[in-house]
PDB file of all heavy atoms in Angstrom:
ATOM      1  N   LEU A  50     -11.046   0.255 -41.284  1.00 98.00           N
ATOM      2  CA  LEU A  50     -10.137   0.004 -42.375  1.00 98.00           C
ATOM      3  C   LEU A  50      -8.802  -0.444 -41.761  1.00 98.00           C
ATOM      4  O   LEU A  50      -8.230   0.257 -40.901  1.00 98.00           O
ATOM      5  CB  LEU A  50      -9.883   1.299 -43.177  1.00 98.00           C
ATOM      6  CG  LEU A  50      -8.817   1.242 -44.296  1.00 98.00           C
ATOM      7  CD1 LEU A  50      -9.250   0.262 -45.349  1.00 98.00           C
ATOM      8  CD2 LEU A  50      -8.628   2.603 -44.877  1.00 98.00           C
ATOM      9  N   ILE A  51      -8.344  -1.640 -42.178  1.00 98.00           N
ATOM     10  CA  ILE A  51      -7.079  -2.209 -41.687  1.00 98.00           C
ATOM     11  C   ILE A  51      -6.030  -2.122 -42.804  1.00 98.00           C
ATOM     12  O   ILE A  51      -6.230  -2.711 -43.884  1.00 98.00           O
ATOM     13  CB  ILE A  51      -7.252  -3.704 -41.259  1.00 98.00           C
ATOM     14  CG1 ILE A  51      -8.298  -3.843 -40.193  1.00 98.00           C
ATOM     15  CG2 ILE A  51      -5.926  -4.203 -40.818  1.00 98.00           C
ATOM     16  CD1 ILE A  51      -8.668  -5.231 -39.892  1.00 98.00           C
ATOM     17  N   THR A  52      -4.980  -1.330 -42.592  1.00 98.00           N
ATOM     18  CA  THR A  52      -3.922  -1.342 -43.595  1.00 98.00           C
ATOM     19  C   THR A  52      -2.980  -2.543 -43.296  1.00 98.00           C
ATOM     20  O   THR A  52      -2.800  -2.910 -42.173  1.00 98.00           O
ATOM     21  CB  THR A  52      -3.075  -0.009 -43.509  1.00 98.00           C
ATOM     22  OG1 THR A  52      -2.264   0.004 -42.263  1.00 98.00           O
ATOM     23  CG2 THR A  52      -3.953   1.231 -43.536  1.00 98.00           C
ATOM     24  N   GLY A  53      -2.483  -3.141 -44.367  1.00 97.00           N
ATOM     25  CA  GLY A  53      -1.723  -4.342 -44.194  1.00 97.00           C
ATOM     26  C   GLY A  53      -2.624  -5.510 -43.773  1.00 97.00           C
ATOM     27  O   GLY A  53      -2.224  -6.408 -42.942  1.00 97.00           O
ATOM     28  N   ILE A  54      -3.809  -5.630 -44.346  1.00 97.00           N
ATOM     29  CA  ILE A  54      -4.793  -6.631 -43.968  1.00 97.00           C
ATOM     30  C   ILE A  54      -4.230  -8.091 -44.119  1.00 97.00           C
ATOM     31  O   ILE A  54      -4.569  -8.990 -43.472  1.00 97.00           O
ATOM     32  CB  ILE A  54      -6.101  -6.469 -44.783  1.00 97.00           C
ATOM     33  CG1 ILE A  54      -7.199  -7.454 -44.280  1.00 97.00           C
ATOM     34  CG2 ILE A  54      -5.895  -6.651 -46.234  1.00 97.00           C
ATOM     35  CD1 ILE A  54      -8.047  -6.923 -43.169  1.00 97.00           C
ATOM     36  N   ASN A  55      -3.346  -8.233 -45.125  1.00 97.00           N
ATOM     37  CA  ASN A  55      -2.791  -9.591 -45.404  1.00 97.00           C
ATOM     38  C   ASN A  55      -1.596  -9.981 -44.514  1.00 97.00           C
ATOM     39  O   ASN A  55      -1.035 -11.030 -44.697  1.00 97.00           O
ATOM     40  CB  ASN A  55      -2.416  -9.710 -46.870  1.00 97.00           C
ATOM     41  CG  ASN A  55      -3.601  -9.986 -47.774  1.00 97.00           C
ATOM     42  OD1 ASN A  55      -4.574 -10.617 -47.341  1.00 97.00           O
ATOM     43  ND2 ASN A  55      -3.568  -9.465 -49.001  1.00 97.00           N
ATOM     44  N   GLY A  56      -1.254  -9.081 -43.624  1.00 96.00           N
ATOM     45  CA  GLY A  56      -0.165  -9.375 -42.717  1.00 96.00           C
ATOM     46  C   GLY A  56      -0.613 -10.243 -41.518  1.00 96.00           C
ATOM     47  O   GLY A  56      -1.785 -10.555 -41.321  1.00 96.00           O
ATOM     48  N   PHE A  57       0.418 -10.709 -40.786  1.00 96.00           N
ATOM     49  CA  PHE A  57       0.144 -11.568 -39.621  1.00 96.00           C
ATOM     50  C   PHE A  57      -0.884 -11.007 -38.659  1.00 96.00           C
ATOM     51  O   PHE A  57      -1.886 -11.597 -38.306  1.00 96.00           O
ATOM     52  CB  PHE A  57       1.520 -11.807 -38.955  1.00 96.00           C
ATOM     53  CG  PHE A  57       1.394 -12.375 -37.529  1.00 96.00           C
ATOM     54  CD1 PHE A  57       0.758 -13.536 -37.241  1.00 96.00           C
ATOM     55  CD2 PHE A  57       2.073 -11.661 -36.440  1.00 96.00           C
ATOM     56  CE1 PHE A  57       0.704 -14.016 -35.925  1.00 96.00           C
ATOM     57  CE2 PHE A  57       2.017 -12.126 -35.195  1.00 96.00           C
ATOM     58  CZ  PHE A  57       1.381 -13.312 -34.922  1.00 96.00           C
ATOM     59  N   VAL A  58      -0.637  -9.732 -38.284  1.00 98.00           N
ATOM     60  CA  VAL A  58      -1.536  -9.072 -37.271  1.00 98.00           C
ATOM     61  C   VAL A  58      -2.826  -8.645 -37.924  1.00 98.00           C
ATOM     62  O   VAL A  58      -3.919  -8.795 -37.355  1.00 98.00           O
ATOM     63  CB  VAL A  58      -0.835  -7.903 -36.644  1.00 98.00           C
ATOM     64  CG1 VAL A  58      -1.693  -7.272 -35.553  1.00 98.00           C
ATOM     65  CG2 VAL A  58       0.512  -8.302 -36.030  1.00 98.00           C
ATOM     66  N   GLY A  59      -2.701  -8.157 -39.168  1.00 98.00           N
ATOM     67  CA  GLY A  59      -3.962  -7.723 -39.883  1.00 98.00           C
ATOM     68  C   GLY A  59      -5.007  -8.816 -39.960  1.00 98.00           C
ATOM     69  O   GLY A  59      -6.223  -8.537 -39.722  1.00 98.00           O
ATOM     70  N   GLY A  60      -4.642 -10.040 -40.336  1.00 98.00           N
ATOM     71  CA  GLY A  60      -5.573 -11.117 -40.373  1.00 98.00           C
ATOM     72  C   GLY A  60      -6.262 -11.432 -39.042  1.00 98.00           C
ATOM     73  O   GLY A  60      -7.439 -11.631 -38.942  1.00 98.00           O
ATOM     74  N   HIS A  61      -5.425 -11.438 -37.992  1.00 98.00           N
ATOM     75  CA  HIS A  61      -5.987 -11.672 -36.608  1.00 98.00           C
ATOM     76  C   HIS A  61      -6.900 -10.569 -36.184  1.00 98.00           C
ATOM     77  O   HIS A  61      -7.998 -10.864 -35.578  1.00 98.00           O
ATOM     78  CB  HIS A  61      -4.876 -11.877 -35.624  1.00 98.00           C
ATOM     79  CG  HIS A  61      -4.225 -13.200 -35.656  1.00 98.00           C
ATOM     80  ND1 HIS A  61      -4.830 -14.361 -35.150  1.00 98.00           N
ATOM     81  CD2 HIS A  61      -3.056 -13.655 -36.176  1.00 98.00           C
ATOM     82  CE1 HIS A  61      -4.032 -15.404 -35.327  1.00 98.00           C
ATOM     83  NE2 HIS A  61      -2.961 -14.994 -35.950  1.00 98.00           N
ATOM     84  N   LEU A  62      -6.559  -9.317 -36.549  1.00 98.00           N
ATOM     85  CA  LEU A  62      -7.441  -8.195 -36.198  1.00 98.00           C
ATOM     86  C   LEU A  62      -8.770  -8.229 -36.922  1.00 98.00           C
ATOM     87  O   LEU A  62      -9.804  -8.051 -36.303  1.00 98.00           O
ATOM     88  CB  LEU A  62      -6.726  -6.867 -36.439  1.00 98.00           C
ATOM     89  CG  LEU A  62      -7.533  -5.644 -36.232  1.00 98.00           C
ATOM     90  CD1 LEU A  62      -8.035  -5.481 -34.830  1.00 98.00           C
ATOM     91  CD2 LEU A  62      -6.693  -4.397 -36.638  1.00 98.00           C
ATOM     92  N   ALA A  63      -8.713  -8.572 -38.190  1.00 98.00           N
ATOM     93  CA  ALA A  63      -9.964  -8.700 -38.988  1.00 98.00           C
ATOM     94  C   ALA A  63     -10.856  -9.781 -38.433  1.00 98.00           C
ATOM     95  O   ALA A  63     -12.049  -9.602 -38.307  1.00 98.00           O
ATOM     96  CB  ALA A  63      -9.652  -8.976 -40.479  1.00 98.00           C
ATOM     97  N   GLU A  64     -10.213 -10.952 -38.058  1.00 98.00           N
ATOM     98  CA  GLU A  64     -11.018 -12.043 -37.531  1.00 98.00           C
ATOM     99  C   GLU A  64     -11.632 -11.619 -36.167  1.00 98.00           C
ATOM    100  O   GLU A  64     -12.856 -11.980 -35.906  1.00 98.00           O
ATOM    101  CB  GLU A  64     -10.113 -13.268 -37.306  1.00 98.00           C
ATOM    102  CG  GLU A  64      -9.756 -13.995 -38.578  1.00 98.00           C
ATOM    103  CD  GLU A  64      -8.837 -15.171 -38.262  1.00 98.00           C
ATOM    104  OE1 GLU A  64      -8.060 -15.107 -37.360  1.00 98.00           O
ATOM    105  OE2 GLU A  64      -8.962 -16.197 -39.029  1.00 98.00           O
ATOM    106  N   TYR A  65     -10.903 -10.878 -35.405  1.00 98.00           N
ATOM    107  CA  TYR A  65     -11.464 -10.462 -34.088  1.00 98.00           C
ATOM    108  C   TYR A  65     -12.609  -9.509 -34.230  1.00 98.00           C
ATOM    109  O   TYR A  65     -13.662  -9.661 -33.588  1.00 98.00           O
ATOM    110  CB  TYR A  65     -10.321  -9.851 -33.200  1.00 98.00           C
ATOM    111  CG  TYR A  65     -10.878  -9.330 -31.881  1.00 98.00           C
ATOM    112  CD1 TYR A  65     -11.319 -10.217 -30.951  1.00 98.00           C
ATOM    113  CD2 TYR A  65     -10.894  -8.018 -31.612  1.00 98.00           C
ATOM    114  CE1 TYR A  65     -11.770  -9.793 -29.690  1.00 98.00           C
ATOM    115  CE2 TYR A  65     -11.394  -7.565 -30.386  1.00 98.00           C
ATOM    116  CZ  TYR A  65     -11.835  -8.405 -29.464  1.00 98.00           C
ATOM    117  OH  TYR A  65     -12.306  -8.009 -28.221  1.00 98.00           O
ATOM    118  N   LEU A  66     -12.500  -8.532 -35.180  1.00 98.00           N
ATOM    119  CA  LEU A  66     -13.574  -7.570 -35.356  1.00 98.00           C
ATOM    120  C   LEU A  66     -14.884  -8.334 -35.854  1.00 98.00           C
ATOM    121  O   LEU A  66     -16.000  -7.976 -35.409  1.00 98.00           O
ATOM    122  CB  LEU A  66     -13.163  -6.502 -36.391  1.00 98.00           C
ATOM    123  CG  LEU A  66     -12.078  -5.497 -35.939  1.00 98.00           C
ATOM    124  CD1 LEU A  66     -11.674  -4.623 -37.090  1.00 98.00           C
ATOM    125  CD2 LEU A  66     -12.573  -4.705 -34.766  1.00 98.00           C
ATOM    126  N   LEU A  67     -14.662  -9.266 -36.729  1.00 98.00           N
ATOM    127  CA  LEU A  67     -15.817 -10.002 -37.189  1.00 98.00           C
ATOM    128  C   LEU A  67     -16.437 -10.896 -36.144  1.00 98.00           C
ATOM    129  O   LEU A  67     -17.655 -11.073 -36.041  1.00 98.00           O
ATOM    130  CB  LEU A  67     -15.419 -10.874 -38.442  1.00 98.00           C
ATOM    131  CG  LEU A  67     -14.988 -10.130 -39.695  1.00 98.00           C
ATOM    132  CD1 LEU A  67     -14.378 -11.041 -40.688  1.00 98.00           C
ATOM    133  CD2 LEU A  67     -16.161  -9.395 -40.328  1.00 98.00           C
ATOM    134  N   GLN A  68     -15.550 -11.449 -35.290  1.00 97.00           N
ATOM    135  CA  GLN A  68     -16.049 -12.271 -34.165  1.00 97.00           C
ATOM    136  C   GLN A  68     -16.863 -11.471 -33.220  1.00 97.00           C
ATOM    137  O   GLN A  68     -17.909 -11.976 -32.771  1.00 97.00           O
ATOM    138  CB  GLN A  68     -14.794 -12.892 -33.467  1.00 97.00           C
ATOM    139  CG  GLN A  68     -15.133 -13.678 -32.207  1.00 97.00           C
ATOM    140  CD  GLN A  68     -13.888 -13.919 -31.358  1.00 97.00           C
ATOM    141  OE1 GLN A  68     -12.817 -14.068 -31.934  1.00 97.00           O
ATOM    142  NE2 GLN A  68     -14.043 -13.929 -30.072  1.00 97.00           N
ATOM    143  N   ILE A  69     -16.489 -10.274 -32.794  1.00 97.00           N
ATOM    144  CA  ILE A  69     -17.190  -9.597 -31.793  1.00 97.00           C
ATOM    145  C   ILE A  69     -18.404  -8.835 -32.342  1.00 97.00           C
ATOM    146  O   ILE A  69     -19.357  -8.484 -31.591  1.00 97.00           O
ATOM    147  CB  ILE A  69     -16.263  -8.527 -31.084  1.00 97.00           C
ATOM    148  CG1 ILE A  69     -15.747  -7.446 -32.024  1.00 97.00           C
ATOM    149  CG2 ILE A  69     -15.195  -9.201 -30.311  1.00 97.00           C
ATOM    150  CD1 ILE A  69     -14.927  -6.400 -31.326  1.00 97.00           C
ATOM    151  N   GLY A  70     -18.495  -8.701 -33.683  1.00 97.00           N
ATOM    152  CA  GLY A  70     -19.602  -8.090 -34.319  1.00 97.00           C
ATOM    153  C   GLY A  70     -19.659  -6.581 -34.193  1.00 97.00           C
ATOM    154  O   GLY A  70     -18.919  -5.985 -33.381  1.00 97.00           O
ATOM    155  N   GLY A  71     -20.525  -5.967 -34.966  1.00 97.00           N
ATOM    156  CA  GLY A  71     -20.696  -4.539 -34.937  1.00 97.00           C
ATOM    157  C   GLY A  71     -19.757  -3.782 -35.816  1.00 97.00           C
ATOM    158  O   GLY A  71     -19.737  -2.550 -35.780  1.00 97.00           O
ATOM    159  N   TRP A  72     -19.000  -4.519 -36.642  1.00 98.00           N
ATOM    160  CA  TRP A  72     -17.993  -3.842 -37.499  1.00 98.00           C
ATOM    161  C   TRP A  72     -18.182  -4.252 -38.981  1.00 98.00           C
ATOM    162  O   TRP A  72     -18.351  -5.409 -39.270  1.00 98.00           O
ATOM    163  CB  TRP A  72     -16.525  -4.238 -37.033  1.00 98.00           C
ATOM    164  CG  TRP A  72     -16.164  -3.709 -35.684  1.00 98.00           C
ATOM    165  CD1 TRP A  72     -16.388  -4.319 -34.490  1.00 98.00           C
ATOM    166  CD2 TRP A  72     -15.470  -2.525 -35.414  1.00 98.00           C
ATOM    167  NE1 TRP A  72     -15.856  -3.595 -33.455  1.00 98.00           N
ATOM    168  CE2 TRP A  72     -15.319  -2.457 -33.996  1.00 98.00           C
ATOM    169  CE3 TRP A  72     -14.978  -1.456 -36.228  1.00 98.00           C
ATOM    170  CZ2 TRP A  72     -14.667  -1.366 -33.348  1.00 98.00           C
ATOM    171  CZ3 TRP A  72     -14.350  -0.416 -35.561  1.00 98.00           C
ATOM    172  CH2 TRP A  72     -14.209  -0.369 -34.173  1.00 98.00           C
ATOM    173  N   GLU A  73     -18.002  -3.310 -39.797  1.00 98.00           N
ATOM    174  CA  GLU A  73     -17.864  -3.507 -41.243  1.00 98.00           C
ATOM    175  C   GLU A  73     -16.403  -3.383 -41.517  1.00 98.00           C
ATOM    176  O   GLU A  73     -15.775  -2.317 -41.270  1.00 98.00           O
ATOM    177  CB  GLU A  73     -18.650  -2.438 -42.018  1.00 98.00           C
ATOM    178  CG  GLU A  73     -18.475  -2.578 -43.562  1.00 98.00           C
ATOM    179  CD  GLU A  73     -19.090  -1.415 -44.242  1.00 98.00           C
ATOM    180  OE1 GLU A  73     -20.093  -0.877 -43.726  1.00 98.00           O
ATOM    181  OE2 GLU A  73     -18.600  -0.990 -45.295  1.00 98.00           O
ATOM    182  N   VAL A  74     -15.737  -4.459 -42.028  1.00 98.00           N
ATOM    183  CA  VAL A  74     -14.312  -4.505 -42.132  1.00 98.00           C
ATOM    184  C   VAL A  74     -13.793  -4.346 -43.572  1.00 98.00           C
ATOM    185  O   VAL A  74     -14.241  -5.117 -44.431  1.00 98.00           O
ATOM    186  CB  VAL A  74     -13.757  -5.796 -41.525  1.00 98.00           C
ATOM    187  CG1 VAL A  74     -12.253  -5.738 -41.500  1.00 98.00           C
ATOM    188  CG2 VAL A  74     -14.256  -6.009 -40.078  1.00 98.00           C
ATOM    189  N   TRP A  75     -12.947  -3.420 -43.764  1.00 98.00           N
ATOM    190  CA  TRP A  75     -12.259  -3.175 -45.049  1.00 98.00           C
ATOM    191  C   TRP A  75     -10.745  -3.340 -44.783  1.00 98.00           C
ATOM    192  O   TRP A  75     -10.255  -3.159 -43.682  1.00 98.00           O
ATOM    193  CB  TRP A  75     -12.511  -1.798 -45.561  1.00 98.00           C
ATOM    194  CG  TRP A  75     -13.921  -1.511 -45.972  1.00 98.00           C
ATOM    195  CD1 TRP A  75     -14.990  -1.411 -45.242  1.00 98.00           C
ATOM    196  CD2 TRP A  75     -14.349  -1.229 -47.397  1.00 98.00           C
ATOM    197  NE1 TRP A  75     -16.106  -1.118 -45.998  1.00 98.00           N
ATOM    198  CE2 TRP A  75     -15.727  -0.979 -47.320  1.00 98.00           C
ATOM    199  CE3 TRP A  75     -13.647  -1.150 -48.630  1.00 98.00           C
ATOM    200  CZ2 TRP A  75     -16.484  -0.679 -48.399  1.00 98.00           C
ATOM    201  CZ3 TRP A  75     -14.478  -0.864 -49.694  1.00 98.00           C
ATOM    202  CH2 TRP A  75     -15.811  -0.647 -49.632  1.00 98.00           C
ATOM    203  N   GLY A  76     -10.076  -3.623 -45.909  1.00 98.00           N
ATOM    204  CA  GLY A  76      -8.579  -3.747 -45.786  1.00 98.00           C
ATOM    205  C   GLY A  76      -7.919  -3.105 -47.000  1.00 98.00           C
ATOM    206  O   GLY A  76      -8.463  -3.019 -48.055  1.00 98.00           O
ATOM    207  N   ILE A  77      -6.699  -2.596 -46.740  1.00 97.00           N
ATOM    208  CA  ILE A  77      -5.798  -2.102 -47.793  1.00 97.00           C
ATOM    209  C   ILE A  77      -4.594  -3.069 -47.842  1.00 97.00           C
ATOM    210  O   ILE A  77      -4.021  -3.388 -46.849  1.00 97.00           O
ATOM    211  CB  ILE A  77      -5.395  -0.662 -47.534  1.00 97.00           C
ATOM    212  CG1 ILE A  77      -6.457   0.357 -47.742  1.00 97.00           C
ATOM    213  CG2 ILE A  77      -4.130  -0.301 -48.429  1.00 97.00           C
ATOM    214  CD1 ILE A  77      -6.068   1.768 -47.534  1.00 97.00           C
ATOM    215  N   ASP A  78      -4.257  -3.369 -49.093  1.00 96.00           N
ATOM    216  CA  ASP A  78      -3.010  -4.147 -49.315  1.00 96.00           C
ATOM    217  C   ASP A  78      -2.553  -3.925 -50.740  1.00 96.00           C
ATOM    218  O   ASP A  78      -3.351  -3.478 -51.560  1.00 96.00           O
ATOM    219  CB  ASP A  78      -3.303  -5.713 -49.096  1.00 96.00           C
ATOM    220  CG  ASP A  78      -2.007  -6.400 -48.838  1.00 96.00           C
ATOM    221  OD1 ASP A  78      -1.563  -6.505 -47.717  1.00 96.00           O
ATOM    222  OD2 ASP A  78      -1.457  -7.018 -49.811  1.00 96.00           O
ATOM    223  N   ARG A  79      -1.290  -4.180 -50.949  1.00 94.00           N
ATOM    224  CA  ARG A  79      -0.738  -4.093 -52.275  1.00 94.00           C
ATOM    225  C   ARG A  79      -1.380  -5.147 -53.240  1.00 94.00           C
ATOM    226  O   ARG A  79      -1.375  -4.948 -54.461  1.00 94.00           O
ATOM    227  CB  ARG A  79       0.792  -4.175 -52.259  1.00 94.00           C
ATOM    228  CG  ARG A  79       1.493  -2.977 -51.646  1.00 94.00           C
ATOM    229  CD  ARG A  79       2.950  -3.250 -51.510  1.00 94.00           C
ATOM    230  NE  ARG A  79       3.673  -2.081 -50.955  1.00 94.00           N
ATOM    231  CZ  ARG A  79       4.933  -2.044 -50.618  1.00 94.00           C
ATOM    232  NH1 ARG A  79       5.648  -3.204 -50.788  1.00 94.00           N
ATOM    233  NH2 ARG A  79       5.468  -0.974 -50.114  1.00 94.00           N
ATOM    234  N   SER A  80      -1.820  -6.223 -52.658  1.00 92.00           N
ATOM    235  CA  SER A  80      -2.529  -7.263 -53.418  1.00 92.00           C
ATOM    236  C   SER A  80      -3.969  -6.960 -53.526  1.00 92.00           C
ATOM    237  O   SER A  80      -4.563  -6.243 -52.665  1.00 92.00           O
ATOM    238  CB  SER A  80      -2.297  -8.636 -52.782  1.00 92.00           C
ATOM    239  OG  SER A  80      -3.183  -9.609 -53.322  1.00 92.00           O
ATOM    240  N   SER A  81      -4.659  -7.487 -54.522  1.00 92.00           N
ATOM    241  CA  SER A  81      -6.107  -7.285 -54.683  1.00 92.00           C
ATOM    242  C   SER A  81      -6.931  -8.386 -54.078  1.00 92.00           C
ATOM    243  O   SER A  81      -8.153  -8.364 -54.176  1.00 92.00           O
ATOM    244  CB  SER A  81      -6.430  -7.165 -56.173  1.00 92.00           C
ATOM    245  OG  SER A  81      -6.068  -8.329 -56.831  1.00 92.00           O
ATOM    246  N   SER A  82      -6.292  -9.361 -53.442  1.00 95.00           N
ATOM    247  CA  SER A  82      -7.014 -10.502 -52.898  1.00 95.00           C
ATOM    248  C   SER A  82      -6.606 -10.736 -51.435  1.00 95.00           C
ATOM    249  O   SER A  82      -5.571 -10.239 -51.000  1.00 95.00           O
ATOM    250  CB  SER A  82      -6.794 -11.775 -53.692  1.00 95.00           C
ATOM    251  OG  SER A  82      -5.420 -12.082 -53.711  1.00 95.00           O
ATOM    252  N   LEU A  83      -7.456 -11.381 -50.731  1.00 96.00           N
ATOM    253  CA  LEU A  83      -7.239 -11.754 -49.307  1.00 96.00           C
ATOM    254  C   LEU A  83      -6.518 -13.013 -49.185  1.00 96.00           C
ATOM    255  O   LEU A  83      -6.910 -14.001 -49.732  1.00 96.00           O
ATOM    256  CB  LEU A  83      -8.577 -11.758 -48.492  1.00 96.00           C
ATOM    257  CG  LEU A  83      -9.270 -10.401 -48.347  1.00 96.00           C
ATOM    258  CD1 LEU A  83     -10.718 -10.610 -47.972  1.00 96.00           C
ATOM    259  CD2 LEU A  83      -8.565  -9.617 -47.280  1.00 96.00           C
ATOM    260  N   ASN A  84      -5.466 -13.082 -48.378  1.00 94.00           N
ATOM    261  CA  ASN A  84      -4.691 -14.316 -48.197  1.00 94.00           C
ATOM    262  C   ASN A  84      -5.464 -15.317 -47.294  1.00 94.00           C
ATOM    263  O   ASN A  84      -5.372 -16.490 -47.487  1.00 94.00           O
ATOM    264  CB  ASN A  84      -3.374 -14.011 -47.547  1.00 94.00           C
ATOM    265  CG  ASN A  84      -2.486 -13.272 -48.525  1.00 94.00           C
ATOM    266  OD1 ASN A  84      -2.643 -13.191 -49.704  1.00 94.00           O
ATOM    267  ND2 ASN A  84      -1.328 -12.724 -47.903  1.00 94.00           N
ATOM    268  N   LEU A  85      -6.175 -14.794 -46.271  1.00 95.00           N
ATOM    269  CA  LEU A  85      -6.826 -15.628 -45.273  1.00 95.00           C
ATOM    270  C   LEU A  85      -8.223 -16.098 -45.711  1.00 95.00           C
ATOM    271  O   LEU A  85      -9.089 -15.255 -45.891  1.00 95.00           O
ATOM    272  CB  LEU A  85      -6.866 -14.861 -43.978  1.00 95.00           C
ATOM    273  CG  LEU A  85      -6.966 -15.664 -42.640  1.00 95.00           C
ATOM    274  CD1 LEU A  85      -5.803 -16.586 -42.511  1.00 95.00           C
ATOM    275  CD2 LEU A  85      -7.001 -14.674 -41.472  1.00 95.00           C
ATOM    276  N   ALA A  86      -8.332 -17.402 -45.842  1.00 94.00           N
ATOM    277  CA  ALA A  86      -9.617 -17.925 -46.326  1.00 94.00           C
ATOM    278  C   ALA A  86     -10.772 -17.560 -45.443  1.00 94.00           C
ATOM    279  O   ALA A  86     -11.896 -17.325 -45.938  1.00 94.00           O
ATOM    280  CB  ALA A  86      -9.522 -19.450 -46.461  1.00 94.00           C
ATOM    281  N   SER A  87     -10.547 -17.464 -44.130  1.00 94.00           N
ATOM    282  CA  SER A  87     -11.652 -17.166 -43.195  1.00 94.00           C
ATOM    283  C   SER A  87     -12.281 -15.774 -43.407  1.00 94.00           C
ATOM    284  O   SER A  87     -13.335 -15.459 -42.956  1.00 94.00           O
ATOM    285  CB  SER A  87     -11.133 -17.286 -41.723  1.00 94.00           C
ATOM    286  OG  SER A  87     -10.137 -16.260 -41.534  1.00 94.00           O
ATOM    287  N   LEU A  88     -11.538 -14.867 -44.162  1.00 97.00           N
ATOM    288  CA  LEU A  88     -12.046 -13.516 -44.402  1.00 97.00           C
ATOM    289  C   LEU A  88     -12.776 -13.378 -45.699  1.00 97.00           C
ATOM    290  O   LEU A  88     -13.424 -12.356 -45.958  1.00 97.00           O
ATOM    291  CB  LEU A  88     -10.853 -12.553 -44.390  1.00 97.00           C
ATOM    292  CG  LEU A  88      -9.975 -12.531 -43.123  1.00 97.00           C
ATOM    293  CD1 LEU A  88      -8.899 -11.413 -43.253  1.00 97.00           C
ATOM    294  CD2 LEU A  88     -10.843 -12.252 -41.897  1.00 97.00           C
ATOM    295  N   HIS A  89     -12.739 -14.413 -46.524  1.00 96.00           N
ATOM    296  CA  HIS A  89     -13.373 -14.331 -47.895  1.00 96.00           C
ATOM    297  C   HIS A  89     -14.856 -14.082 -47.701  1.00 96.00           C
ATOM    298  O   HIS A  89     -15.516 -14.806 -46.957  1.00 96.00           O
ATOM    299  CB  HIS A  89     -13.079 -15.571 -48.738  1.00 96.00           C
ATOM    300  CG  HIS A  89     -11.675 -15.693 -49.150  1.00 96.00           C
ATOM    301  ND1 HIS A  89     -11.159 -16.744 -49.792  1.00 96.00           N
ATOM    302  CD2 HIS A  89     -10.594 -14.826 -48.971  1.00 96.00           C
ATOM    303  CE1 HIS A  89      -9.853 -16.564 -50.022  1.00 96.00           C
ATOM    304  NE2 HIS A  89      -9.497 -15.392 -49.546  1.00 96.00           N
ATOM    305  N   GLY A  90     -15.440 -13.185 -48.423  1.00 95.00           N
ATOM    306  CA  GLY A  90     -16.826 -12.844 -48.361  1.00 95.00           C
ATOM    307  C   GLY A  90     -17.284 -12.026 -47.155  1.00 95.00           C
ATOM    308  O   GLY A  90     -18.459 -11.681 -47.065  1.00 95.00           O
ATOM    309  N   GLN A  91     -16.311 -11.777 -46.318  1.00 97.00           N
ATOM    310  CA  GLN A  91     -16.655 -10.958 -45.099  1.00 97.00           C
ATOM    311  C   GLN A  91     -15.884  -9.595 -45.037  1.00 97.00           C
ATOM    312  O   GLN A  91     -16.313  -8.706 -44.305  1.00 97.00           O
ATOM    313  CB  GLN A  91     -16.334 -11.736 -43.822  1.00 97.00           C
ATOM    314  CG  GLN A  91     -17.097 -13.075 -43.731  1.00 97.00           C
ATOM    315  CD  GLN A  91     -16.938 -13.661 -42.301  1.00 97.00           C
ATOM    316  OE1 GLN A  91     -17.598 -13.260 -41.350  1.00 97.00           O
ATOM    317  NE2 GLN A  91     -16.030 -14.618 -42.201  1.00 97.00           N
ATOM    318  N   VAL A  92     -14.808  -9.545 -45.700  1.00 98.00           N
ATOM    319  CA  VAL A  92     -13.952  -8.330 -45.730  1.00 98.00           C
ATOM    320  C   VAL A  92     -13.796  -7.876 -47.119  1.00 98.00           C
ATOM    321  O   VAL A  92     -13.547  -8.627 -48.052  1.00 98.00           O
ATOM    322  CB  VAL A  92     -12.581  -8.642 -45.054  1.00 98.00           C
ATOM    323  CG1 VAL A  92     -11.622  -7.498 -45.235  1.00 98.00           C
ATOM    324  CG2 VAL A  92     -12.669  -9.050 -43.617  1.00 98.00           C
ATOM    325  N   ARG A  93     -13.954  -6.573 -47.307  1.00 98.00           N
ATOM    326  CA  ARG A  93     -13.686  -5.916 -48.601  1.00 98.00           C
ATOM    327  C   ARG A  93     -12.288  -5.368 -48.656  1.00 98.00           C
ATOM    328  O   ARG A  93     -11.867  -4.746 -47.687  1.00 98.00           O
ATOM    329  CB  ARG A  93     -14.709  -4.773 -48.886  1.00 98.00           C
ATOM    330  CG  ARG A  93     -16.149  -5.361 -49.056  1.00 98.00           C
ATOM    331  CD  ARG A  93     -17.068  -4.200 -49.445  1.00 98.00           C
ATOM    332  NE  ARG A  93     -18.059  -4.075 -48.330  1.00 98.00           N
ATOM    333  CZ  ARG A  93     -19.080  -3.258 -48.430  1.00 98.00           C
ATOM    334  NH1 ARG A  93     -19.319  -2.538 -49.522  1.00 98.00           N
ATOM    335  NH2 ARG A  93     -19.954  -3.151 -47.385  1.00 98.00           N
TER     336      ARG A  93
END
């Protein structure tokens, strides 16, 4: 679980976890949507 998933670092961290594999990635944000298109469909 990444808090601040829509932030600068949060997006890079989510991408890295997905890249290395073995992780189910969730995020918390005040928004209900993901800013980073590369995370759509891969991060809840």
